[in-house]
Amino acid sequence: MSQDVDKNNILHLAGNLAPKSQLNRIPGAAIQMQHELQWYKEVEKLVPPNYKEEKNSKGETPRMAFLEEHKRLVKEGEKWMKGSATSFSLAAALFATIVFAAAITVPGDYSYEGEPNFRKRKTFKIFAVSDSFSLFSSVAAIIIFLSVLTARYSEHDFLYSVPTKFMWGLVMLFLSQTALMVALCSTVYLVFGDRNRGFLYLVCASALVPLFLFLSWQYPLLRDLLFSTYGPEISRLIRRCLLGISEKLRACYEKSKKIILKLVS
């Protein structure tokens, strides 16, 4: 309930930038800014409403003090997000170019009637579906990353909006890459068939390598974004579920206890 010598209440102090030793534990300036916002919001829920409008000796409200303290971190987070989104959007554009070229040059060429020669084979249908899905998901990834690039990047955008878009962009990019590898393997099977199974197995095994590399290098980023954005909500949901289960078990125990006592008596 007190203030310091500069008339800062506890909400002013919650808006101070965390020490570098604490910030360096969190990967990425955008996730650091998100953690700072989450901390400020949690303290804001606990204080009386009038604390939000109180001014310190500099004439700053807690929100104004928070914005002033985090100016540099907001710019660094914006730079980090835009740089990453640009790189991933270029990769998505490359995937879209590859699968579109594959769609118009189907394996086995066309017949005189203008229809694909392999159109009746199941493997060709797998190729068509996976190639189309790869194209759609890569275009979706491009659109999502463009929305990340054109975001306002106010301080509250780091809480849910921008991280959620970034996560969906990564998911769409991974799905596009997976579908592209499936299309490649189905094309190789259409061309070589059962004549060279060793070569077919080698190609399919090699197709897993880029998927493994993408998961091993980008999964930590996706995991950090997911748990940083929705970790508190997930933990609250788990606690509620466990509490509900424990209450039901307690009720069943009490009911069975009464039944046993009646039988014994």
Side-chain angles (χ1 to χ4, degrees), residues 162-206:
V162 174
T164 301
K165 291 177 183 177
F166 199 90
M167 283 187 287
W168 276 111
L170 283 176
V171 171
M172 289 294 107
L173 189 60
F174 176 72
L175 292 177
S176 176
Q177 185 181 10
T178 304
L180 176 61
M181 294 299 105
V182 173
L184 171 65
C185 293
S186 59
T187 302
V188 173
Y189 182 80
L190 282 170
V191 174
F192 292 95
D194 296 331
R195 295 190 299 273
N196 196 341
R197 285 185 174 272
F199 178 72
L200 179 63
Y201 294 152
L202 178 63
V203 170
C204 293
S206 301

Tab-separated table of all heavy atoms in Angstrom, residues 162-206:
chain	number	residue	atom	x	y	z
A	162	VAL	N	0.894	-11.381	-32.144
A	162	VAL	CA	2.052	-11.696	-32.998
A	162	VAL	C	2.606	-13.098	-32.723
A	162	VAL	O	2.872	-13.853	-33.673
A	162	VAL	CB	3.145	-10.620	-32.836
A	162	VAL	CG1	4.398	-11.005	-33.603
A	162	VAL	CG2	2.640	-9.270	-33.330
A	163	PRO	N	2.791	-13.533	-31.459
A	163	PRO	CA	3.295	-14.899	-31.239
A	163	PRO	C	2.381	-15.979	-31.805
A	163	PRO	O	2.866	-16.977	-32.342
A	163	PRO	CB	3.385	-14.995	-29.701
A	163	PRO	CG	3.528	-13.600	-29.237
A	163	PRO	CD	2.702	-12.787	-30.173
A	164	THR	N	1.053	-15.793	-31.698
A	164	THR	CA	0.125	-16.794	-32.230
A	164	THR	C	0.236	-16.893	-33.745
A	164	THR	O	0.269	-17.992	-34.316
A	164	THR	CB	-1.313	-16.438	-31.835
A	164	THR	OG1	-1.416	-16.379	-30.404
A	164	THR	CG2	-2.289	-17.491	-32.340
A	165	LYS	N	0.304	-15.744	-34.423
A	165	LYS	CA	0.475	-15.761	-35.878
A	165	LYS	C	1.787	-16.445	-36.265
A	165	LYS	O	1.831	-17.229	-37.224
A	165	LYS	CB	0.462	-14.330	-36.421
A	165	LYS	CG	-0.883	-13.636	-36.334
A	165	LYS	CD	-0.776	-12.204	-36.817
A	165	LYS	CE	-2.099	-11.469	-36.675
A	165	LYS	NZ	-1.968	-10.034	-37.082
A	166	PHE	N	2.835	-16.149	-35.529
A	166	PHE	CA	4.145	-16.729	-35.840
A	166	PHE	C	4.109	-18.248	-35.678
A	166	PHE	O	4.672	-18.987	-36.498
A	166	PHE	CB	5.206	-16.115	-34.927
A	166	PHE	CG	6.602	-16.268	-35.427
A	166	PHE	CD1	7.175	-15.312	-36.254
A	166	PHE	CD2	7.358	-17.373	-35.084
A	166	PHE	CE1	8.465	-15.461	-36.727
A	166	PHE	CE2	8.647	-17.529	-35.544
A	166	PHE	CZ	9.203	-16.567	-36.365
A	167	MET	N	3.443	-18.736	-34.633
A	167	MET	CA	3.346	-20.181	-34.421
A	167	MET	C	2.582	-20.852	-35.552
A	167	MET	O	2.998	-21.901	-36.060
A	167	MET	CB	2.677	-20.469	-33.069
A	167	MET	CG	3.572	-20.265	-31.870
A	167	MET	SD	2.806	-20.808	-30.330
A	167	MET	CE	1.593	-19.500	-30.063
A	168	TRP	N	1.458	-20.262	-35.967
A	168	TRP	CA	0.689	-20.837	-37.068
A	168	TRP	C	1.493	-20.829	-38.361
A	168	TRP	O	1.396	-21.757	-39.176
A	168	TRP	CB	-0.624	-20.068	-37.248
A	168	TRP	CG	-1.709	-20.541	-36.341
A	168	TRP	CD1	-2.263	-19.879	-35.290
A	168	TRP	CD2	-2.384	-21.805	-36.397
A	168	TRP	NE1	-3.230	-20.644	-34.675
A	168	TRP	CE2	-3.321	-21.836	-35.338
A	168	TRP	CE3	-2.279	-22.915	-37.234
A	168	TRP	CZ2	-4.150	-22.925	-35.109
A	168	TRP	CZ3	-3.110	-24.012	-37.002
A	168	TRP	CH2	-4.033	-24.003	-35.958
A	169	GLY	N	2.298	-19.793	-38.580
A	169	GLY	CA	3.152	-19.755	-39.754
A	169	GLY	C	4.152	-20.892	-39.766
A	169	GLY	O	4.378	-21.541	-40.803
A	170	LEU	N	4.765	-21.175	-38.604
A	170	LEU	CA	5.714	-22.288	-38.517
A	170	LEU	C	5.030	-23.622	-38.766
A	170	LEU	O	5.581	-24.498	-39.450
A	170	LEU	CB	6.373	-22.287	-37.133
A	170	LEU	CG	7.476	-21.264	-36.882
A	170	LEU	CD1	7.943	-21.341	-35.436
A	170	LEU	CD2	8.654	-21.491	-37.823
A	171	VAL	N	3.821	-23.792	-38.222
A	171	VAL	CA	3.084	-25.047	-38.417
A	171	VAL	C	2.747	-25.240	-39.894
A	171	VAL	O	2.921	-26.332	-40.457
A	171	VAL	CB	1.809	-25.059	-37.550
A	171	VAL	CG1	0.921	-26.241	-37.904
A	171	VAL	CG2	2.161	-25.121	-36.070
A	172	MET	N	2.263	-24.186	-40.551
A	172	MET	CA	1.923	-24.280	-41.975
A	172	MET	C	3.164	-24.576	-42.821
A	172	MET	O	3.104	-25.348	-43.778
A	172	MET	CB	1.285	-22.970	-42.441
A	172	MET	CG	-0.117	-22.710	-41.922
A	172	MET	SD	-1.331	-23.880	-42.561
A	172	MET	CE	-1.623	-24.886	-41.122
A	173	LEU	N	4.281	-23.995	-42.450
A	173	LEU	CA	5.524	-24.237	-43.196
A	173	LEU	C	5.966	-25.691	-43.049
A	173	LEU	O	6.406	-26.324	-44.027
A	173	LEU	CB	6.612	-23.289	-42.697
A	173	LEU	CG	7.916	-23.245	-43.504
A	173	LEU	CD1	7.645	-22.804	-44.936
A	173	LEU	CD2	8.917	-22.319	-42.844
A	174	PHE	N	5.851	-26.234	-41.848
A	174	PHE	CA	6.225	-27.639	-41.634
A	174	PHE	C	5.282	-28.575	-42.391
A	174	PHE	O	5.728	-29.559	-42.993
A	174	PHE	CB	6.210	-27.968	-40.143
A	174	PHE	CG	6.489	-29.418	-39.850
A	174	PHE	CD1	7.762	-29.933	-40.014
A	174	PHE	CD2	5.466	-30.256	-39.432
A	174	PHE	CE1	8.017	-31.277	-39.770
A	174	PHE	CE2	5.718	-31.594	-39.181
A	174	PHE	CZ	6.994	-32.108	-39.352
A	175	LEU	N	3.987	-28.281	-42.382
A	175	LEU	CA	3.033	-29.112	-43.126
A	175	LEU	C	3.312	-29.060	-44.630
A	175	LEU	O	3.205	-30.070	-45.328
A	175	LEU	CB	1.602	-28.649	-42.839
A	175	LEU	CG	1.086	-28.880	-41.416
A	175	LEU	CD1	-0.317	-28.311	-41.257
A	175	LEU	CD2	1.097	-30.368	-41.068
A	176	SER	N	3.683	-27.868	-45.124
A	176	SER	CA	4.017	-27.735	-46.537
A	176	SER	C	5.235	-28.573	-46.890
A	176	SER	O	5.266	-29.255	-47.930
A	176	SER	CB	4.263	-26.263	-46.871
A	176	SER	OG	4.683	-26.109	-48.200
A	177	GLN	N	6.242	-28.545	-46.030
A	177	GLN	CA	7.454	-29.326	-46.282
A	177	GLN	C	7.155	-30.822	-46.235
A	177	GLN	O	7.663	-31.588	-47.065
A	177	GLN	CB	8.530	-28.972	-45.256
A	177	GLN	CG	9.865	-29.638	-45.515
A	177	GLN	CD	10.898	-29.290	-44.463
A	177	GLN	OE1	10.575	-28.688	-43.440
A	177	GLN	NE2	12.136	-29.658	-44.701
A	178	THR	N	6.327	-31.244	-45.276
A	178	THR	CA	5.973	-32.660	-45.169
A	178	THR	C	5.230	-33.136	-46.416
A	178	THR	O	5.531	-34.197	-46.976
A	178	THR	CB	5.107	-32.884	-43.921
A	178	THR	OG1	5.795	-32.416	-42.760
A	178	THR	CG2	4.793	-34.360	-43.743
A	179	ALA	N	4.234	-32.345	-46.852
A	179	ALA	CA	3.480	-32.716	-48.054
A	179	ALA	C	4.370	-32.729	-49.289
A	179	ALA	O	4.192	-33.558	-50.195
A	179	ALA	CB	2.311	-31.744	-48.249
A	180	LEU	N	5.346	-31.827	-49.337
A	180	LEU	CA	6.288	-31.800	-50.463
A	180	LEU	C	7.108	-33.075	-50.516
A	180	LEU	O	7.330	-33.652	-51.602
A	180	LEU	CB	7.201	-30.573	-50.332
A	180	LEU	CG	8.315	-30.419	-51.376
A	180	LEU	CD1	7.725	-30.289	-52.772
A	180	LEU	CD2	9.190	-29.219	-51.051
A	181	MET	N	7.558	-33.570	-49.364
A	181	MET	CA	8.322	-34.816	-49.339
A	181	MET	C	7.455	-36.010	-49.740
A	181	MET	O	7.921	-36.932	-50.421
A	181	MET	CB	8.891	-35.043	-47.924
A	181	MET	CG	9.930	-34.013	-47.500
A	181	MET	SD	11.401	-33.955	-48.551
A	181	MET	CE	11.095	-32.443	-49.472
A	182	VAL	N	6.183	-36.001	-49.331
A	182	VAL	CA	5.267	-37.079	-49.738
A	182	VAL	C	5.067	-37.060	-51.254
A	182	VAL	O	5.052	-38.116	-51.908
A	182	VAL	CB	3.919	-36.930	-49.004
A	182	VAL	CG1	2.901	-37.941	-49.531
A	182	VAL	CG2	4.103	-37.132	-47.506
A	183	ALA	N	4.904	-35.867	-51.813
A	183	ALA	CA	4.749	-35.748	-53.270
A	183	ALA	C	5.984	-36.251	-54.002
A	183	ALA	O	5.890	-36.915	-55.044
A	183	ALA	CB	4.456	-34.289	-53.637
A	184	LEU	N	7.164	-35.954	-53.455
A	184	LEU	CA	8.404	-36.420	-54.069
A	184	LEU	C	8.485	-37.939	-54.066
A	184	LEU	O	8.804	-38.567	-55.088
A	184	LEU	CB	9.598	-35.819	-53.329
A	184	LEU	CG	10.981	-36.377	-53.699
A	184	LEU	CD1	11.314	-36.027	-55.140
A	184	LEU	CD2	12.053	-35.854	-52.762
A	185	CYS	N	8.185	-38.549	-52.918
A	185	CYS	CA	8.263	-40.009	-52.819
A	185	CYS	C	7.246	-40.684	-53.740
A	185	CYS	O	7.554	-41.705	-54.367
A	185	CYS	CB	8.031	-40.439	-51.370
A	185	CYS	SG	9.334	-39.924	-50.235
A	186	SER	N	6.045	-40.127	-53.831
A	186	SER	CA	5.038	-40.712	-54.721
A	186	SER	C	5.451	-40.573	-56.188
A	186	SER	O	5.188	-41.464	-57.005
A	186	SER	CB	3.680	-40.045	-54.478
A	186	SER	OG	3.757	-38.652	-54.704
A	187	THR	N	6.111	-39.478	-56.533
A	187	THR	CA	6.598	-39.305	-57.910
A	187	THR	C	7.664	-40.344	-58.251
A	187	THR	O	7.648	-40.938	-59.338
A	187	THR	CB	7.182	-37.892	-58.093
A	187	THR	OG1	6.175	-36.919	-57.786
A	187	THR	CG2	7.661	-37.676	-59.511
A	188	VAL	N	8.586	-40.555	-57.324
A	188	VAL	CA	9.633	-41.556	-57.547
A	188	VAL	C	9.014	-42.940	-57.704
A	188	VAL	O	9.429	-43.740	-58.564
A	188	VAL	CB	10.646	-41.525	-56.388
A	188	VAL	CG1	11.642	-42.680	-56.513
A	188	VAL	CG2	11.392	-40.200	-56.370
A	189	TYR	N	8.001	-43.245	-56.910
A	189	TYR	CA	7.345	-44.557	-57.021
A	189	TYR	C	6.629	-44.704	-58.357
A	189	TYR	O	6.631	-45.779	-58.967
A	189	TYR	CB	6.356	-44.734	-55.871
A	189	TYR	CG	5.666	-46.072	-55.880
A	189	TYR	CD1	6.305	-47.198	-55.378
A	189	TYR	CD2	4.380	-46.209	-56.408
A	189	TYR	CE1	5.686	-48.440	-55.393
A	189	TYR	CE2	3.758	-47.442	-56.434
A	189	TYR	CZ	4.416	-48.555	-55.926
A	189	TYR	OH	3.808	-49.776	-55.960
A	190	LEU	N	5.995	-43.606	-58.831
A	190	LEU	CA	5.313	-43.664	-60.123
A	190	LEU	C	6.294	-43.918	-61.269
A	190	LEU	O	5.992	-44.644	-62.218
A	190	LEU	CB	4.560	-42.352	-60.372
A	190	LEU	CG	3.232	-42.170	-59.628
A	190	LEU	CD1	2.725	-40.738	-59.788
A	190	LEU	CD2	2.182	-43.147	-60.145
A	191	VAL	N	7.456	-43.306	-61.182
A	191	VAL	CA	8.438	-43.425	-62.270
A	191	VAL	C	9.137	-44.786	-62.244
A	191	VAL	O	9.288	-45.452	-63.280
A	191	VAL	CB	9.466	-42.283	-62.181
A	191	VAL	CG1	10.576	-42.482	-63.214
A	191	VAL	CG2	8.783	-40.937	-62.383
A	192	PHE	N	9.560	-45.232	-61.063
A	192	PHE	CA	10.346	-46.468	-60.983
A	192	PHE	C	9.511	-47.681	-60.595
A	192	PHE	O	9.884	-48.807	-60.898
A	192	PHE	CB	11.493	-46.295	-59.966
A	192	PHE	CG	12.533	-45.323	-60.421
A	192	PHE	CD1	12.483	-43.993	-60.026
A	192	PHE	CD2	13.559	-45.728	-61.250
A	192	PHE	CE1	13.440	-43.088	-60.450
A	192	PHE	CE2	14.525	-44.835	-61.682
A	192	PHE	CZ	14.464	-43.504	-61.278
A	193	GLY	N	8.393	-47.453	-59.875
A	193	GLY	CA	7.528	-48.557	-59.490
A	193	GLY	C	8.235	-49.570	-58.609
A	193	GLY	O	9.022	-49.220	-57.724
A	194	ASP	N	7.969	-50.841	-58.883
A	194	ASP	CA	8.571	-51.929	-58.093
A	194	ASP	C	9.877	-52.439	-58.698
A	194	ASP	O	10.433	-53.426	-58.233
A	194	ASP	CB	7.578	-53.091	-57.975
A	194	ASP	CG	6.331	-52.687	-57.206
A	194	ASP	OD1	6.450	-51.792	-56.350
A	194	ASP	OD2	5.258	-53.266	-57.459
A	195	ARG	N	10.366	-51.763	-59.734
A	195	ARG	CA	11.563	-52.263	-60.407
A	195	ARG	C	12.832	-52.068	-59.583
A	195	ARG	O	13.770	-52.833	-59.705
A	195	ARG	CB	11.728	-51.569	-61.763
A	195	ARG	CG	10.616	-51.878	-62.746
A	195	ARG	CD	10.957	-51.355	-64.134
A	195	ARG	NE	11.142	-49.911	-64.140
A	195	ARG	CZ	10.149	-49.046	-64.304
A	195	ARG	NH1	8.899	-49.489	-64.439
A	195	ARG	NH2	10.378	-47.747	-64.330
A	196	ASN	N	12.854	-51.051	-58.757
A	196	ASN	CA	14.070	-50.763	-57.999
A	196	ASN	C	13.673	-50.332	-56.581
A	196	ASN	O	13.628	-49.155	-56.255
A	196	ASN	CB	14.868	-49.657	-58.685
A	196	ASN	CG	16.295	-49.570	-58.177
A	196	ASN	OD1	16.610	-50.069	-57.102
A	196	ASN	ND2	17.157	-48.942	-58.958
A	197	ARG	N	13.346	-51.325	-55.774
A	197	ARG	CA	12.866	-51.030	-54.413
A	197	ARG	C	13.955	-50.416	-53.537
A	197	ARG	O	13.665	-49.575	-52.694
A	197	ARG	CB	12.351	-52.319	-53.752
A	197	ARG	CG	10.994	-52.760	-54.273
A	197	ARG	CD	10.494	-53.965	-53.508
A	197	ARG	NE	9.145	-54.290	-53.903
A	197	ARG	CZ	8.059	-53.773	-53.338
A	197	ARG	NH1	8.189	-52.898	-52.368
A	197	ARG	NH2	6.859	-54.146	-53.736
A	198	GLY	N	15.207	-50.817	-53.746
A	198	GLY	CA	16.294	-50.257	-52.943
A	198	GLY	C	16.425	-48.761	-53.149
A	198	GLY	O	16.596	-48.001	-52.189
A	199	PHE	N	16.333	-48.335	-54.403
A	199	PHE	CA	16.413	-46.904	-54.704
A	199	PHE	C	15.217	-46.163	-54.104
A	199	PHE	O	15.360	-45.052	-53.585
A	199	PHE	CB	16.455	-46.708	-56.221
A	199	PHE	CG	16.482	-45.263	-56.644
A	199	PHE	CD1	17.615	-44.479	-56.454
A	199	PHE	CD2	15.356	-44.677	-57.210
A	199	PHE	CE1	17.633	-43.144	-56.840
A	199	PHE	CE2	15.367	-43.348	-57.599
A	199	PHE	CZ	16.509	-42.582	-57.416
A	200	LEU	N	14.033	-46.787	-54.176
A	200	LEU	CA	12.831	-46.162	-53.616
A	200	LEU	C	12.958	-45.975	-52.108
A	200	LEU	O	12.618	-44.915	-51.566
A	200	LEU	CB	11.615	-47.023	-53.939
A	200	LEU	CG	10.265	-46.523	-53.410
A	200	LEU	CD1	9.909	-45.181	-54.037
A	200	LEU	CD2	9.173	-47.541	-53.699
A	201	TYR	N	13.459	-46.992	-51.408
A	201	TYR	CA	13.649	-46.885	-49.955
A	201	TYR	C	14.677	-45.812	-49.613
A	201	TYR	O	14.532	-45.088	-48.622
A	201	TYR	CB	14.097	-48.237	-49.383
A	201	TYR	CG	13.049	-49.317	-49.482
A	201	TYR	CD1	13.425	-50.654	-49.580
A	201	TYR	CD2	11.692	-49.003	-49.488
A	201	TYR	CE1	12.471	-51.659	-49.674
A	201	TYR	CE2	10.727	-49.999	-49.574
A	201	TYR	CZ	11.117	-51.319	-49.674
A	201	TYR	OH	10.176	-52.293	-49.763
A	202	LEU	N	15.718	-45.713	-50.429
A	202	LEU	CA	16.747	-44.697	-50.184
A	202	LEU	C	16.174	-43.288	-50.318
A	202	LEU	O	16.471	-42.406	-49.498
A	202	LEU	CB	17.905	-44.901	-51.163
A	202	LEU	CG	19.057	-43.890	-51.071
A	202	LEU	CD1	19.725	-43.979	-49.703
A	202	LEU	CD2	20.076	-44.127	-52.182
A	203	VAL	N	15.337	-43.073	-51.341
A	203	VAL	CA	14.729	-41.754	-51.545
A	203	VAL	C	13.789	-41.412	-50.395
A	203	VAL	O	13.798	-40.290	-49.875
A	203	VAL	CB	13.982	-41.715	-52.899
A	203	VAL	CG1	13.155	-40.441	-53.015
A	203	VAL	CG2	14.972	-41.798	-54.043
A	204	CYS	N	12.964	-42.375	-49.975
A	204	CYS	CA	12.026	-42.122	-48.874
A	204	CYS	C	12.764	-41.831	-47.569
A	204	CYS	O	12.346	-40.962	-46.795
A	204	CYS	CB	11.092	-43.318	-48.697
A	204	CYS	SG	9.956	-43.562	-50.081
A	205	ALA	N	13.848	-42.560	-47.326
A	205	ALA	CA	14.637	-42.298	-46.117
A	205	ALA	C	15.299	-40.933	-46.183
A	205	ALA	O	15.374	-40.207	-45.179
A	205	ALA	CB	15.684	-43.391	-45.939
A	206	SER	N	15.783	-40.556	-47.378
A	206	SER	CA	16.408	-39.237	-47.537
A	206	SER	C	15.397	-38.116	-47.360
A	206	SER	O	15.749	-37.024	-46.911
A	206	SER	CB	17.064	-39.128	-48.918
A	206	SER	OG	18.037	-40.134	-49.100
